[in-house]
Amino acid sequence: MQQLIDKITRNNLTPISEDFSYSMDEKYFNEQYGYQKIPVVIRNAYQHWKIKEKWTLPYLILKLPGKESFDSYDKKLSLEEYLKNDFINKLYYKTQCHSSNELSDDYDIPDELRCWYKNYRKPPKLFLSWLYVGKQNTFSDLHQDLWDTSAWNYLIKGRKLWFFFPKSLNSIIKADIDSYKIQNIIDNILNNKDPKLQPLYCIQNEGDLVYTPSGYYHAVVNLDLTISLTENFINKTNYDVVYDNFKKNFDSSTKSLLEIIEYHLKLEKNGKASQDRKNN
Ligand SMILES: O=C(O)CCC(=O)C(=O)O
């Protein structure tokens, strides 16, 4: 992996935007990144999140005794079993239990990252939050996020290497997705092959938050054993694309999500109407 990192720096691969502000608020975040849909790594503003110190592996093992299933592995394992078993070195441990047990008391989501789900009167069962533990060299292969939602990923332990492709390449990638598998991306960087396959990149360190706007193809490699918290979200910066996506792929699970967007649009409209009344 060090060879890959050296090559990335020597090849002058373009990094995504980096933000060094010490605090963050909704207006600044949305104006700089949200509305413009710019991927960014935020280096300082979230360093104080309590979970960075609190969510150690022993603590998480204690709080997550349940067993989880794994892609392409037929047995369910607890976090402790996952960490102990070398035969499962290629897979990620992923859970959603943290959002319904005591772990959820350990953090609040700031306004700029909050999903419209959260203040809806009938919260849907499907909640797009995951806690990931990934051993060194595990990865998430190239993908776009579900329903064109945006996402944030907060790194508690270790380092992650992220690749993003400019959205202008989306249709080329979609037509030839196998050429963009992570192994090909890495081979291309190591062997200076196709310049079209040179993505933007970012190395995420502990306490950094990476923002992935709607529609971006991205892939991630764990450079070390990592713990991260990630959530997909719908809000005023992306509801229009998510709404179109839901309408195209309508089924019973998206019905309540469409309702959420419609409910929030009404709120926004009413808020604007009362603001207009105040201004006149
Ligand atoms: O941390 C990772 O491996 C991937 C995060 C990500 O891309 C996602 O959850 O969509």
Side-chain angles (χ1 to χ4, degrees), residues 6-45:
D6 292 345
K7 196 79 191 188
I8 285 173
T9 11
R10 251 182 289 127
N11 281 15
N12 288 330
L13 231 60
T14 310
I16 62 165
S17 298
E18 290 178 274
D19 186 296
F20 295 97
S21 314
Y22 280 95
S23 63
M24 194 54 61
D25 62 53
E26 191 181 2
K27 184 167 181 294
Y28 172 86
F29 183 90
N30 286 347
E31 281 174 7
Q32 298 294 315
Y33 311 112
Y35 289 120
Q36 300 189 62
K37 306 211 165 36
I38 295 179
V40 59
V41 52
I42 296 175
R43 300 283 189 197
N44 293 323

Side-chain angles (χ1 to χ4, degrees), residues 1 4-5 8-9 13-18 38-43 92 94 130 132 138-145 149-166 182 185-186 189 197-214 216-224 226-233:
M1 276 302 159
L4 176 63
I5 296 170
I8 285 173
T9 11
L13 231 60
T14 310
I16 62 165
S17 298
E18 290 178 274
I38 295 179
V40 59
V41 52
I42 296 175
R43 300 283 189 197
Y92 252 113
K94 297 181 180 176
W130 288 269
Y132 288 173
T138 50
F139 59 86
S140 296
D141 216 334
L142 194 79
H143 65 285
Q144 287 171 304
D145 281 346
T149 54
S150 305
W152 55 265
N153 182 303
Y154 183 65
L155 191 57
I156 295 159
K157 179 180 171 59
R159 289 170 308 153
K160 284 178 188 275
L161 172 61
W162 289 72
F163 297 116
F164 287 88
F165 284 95
I182 198 149
I185 299 173
I186 292 174
I189 295 169
L197 265 173
Q198 304 286 323
L200 305 171
Y201 81 101
C202 145
I203 293 176
Q204 182 187 21
N205 300 308
E206 290 175 8
D208 291 346
L209 183 138
V210 171
Y211 165 63
T212 305
S214 300
Y216 267 86
Y217 275 106
H218 57 287
V220 183
V221 186
N222 289 309
L223 298 175
D224 309 299
T226 63
I227 304 173
S228 55
L229 178 64
T230 179
E231 287 196 17
N232 287 73
F233 64 93

Side-chain angles (χ1 to χ4, degrees), residues 147 242-254:
W147 305 320
V242 179
Y243 193 78
D244 287 348
N245 191 299
F246 283 165
K247 286 217 145 161
K248 268 190 241 139
N249 305 302
F250 189 80
D251 66 27
S252 57
S253 71
T254 50

Side-chain angles (χ1 to χ4, degrees), residues 96 99-100 117 120 122-129 147 252-253 256-257 260:
Q96 294 198 297
S99 48
S100 52
Y117 277 25
Y120 189 56
K122 291 186 288 184
K125 290 213 183 75
L126 209 70
F127 178 58
L128 299 178
S129 179
W147 305 320
S252 57
S253 71
S256 63
L257 299 166
I260 293 175

Side-chain angles (χ1 to χ4, degrees), residues 66-123:
K67 292 184 190 276
E68 295 293 339
S69 42
F70 292 80
D71 302 337
S72 72
Y73 182 67
D74 55 1
K75 263 185 28 208
K76 287 187 162 194
L77 299 176
S78 67
L79 175 57
E80 185 171 23
E81 289 165 336
Y82 165 75
L83 290 166
K84 275 194 188 145
N85 280 299
D86 287 345
F87 55 83
I88 191 162
N89 276 354
K90 297 221 159 66
L91 301 176
Y92 252 113
Y93 168 90
K94 297 181 180 176
T95 186
Q96 294 198 297
C97 290
H98 66 289
S99 48
S100 52
N101 74 12
E102 306 154 61
L103 291 172
S104 63
D105 298 332
D106 288 342
Y107 66 100
D108 289 317
I109 312 275
D111 291 345
E112 63 278 10
L113 305 176
R114 189 165 302 140
C115 183
W116 275 356
Y117 277 25
K118 296 240 169 114
N119 24 26
Y120 189 56
R121 62 199 140 90
K122 291 186 288 184

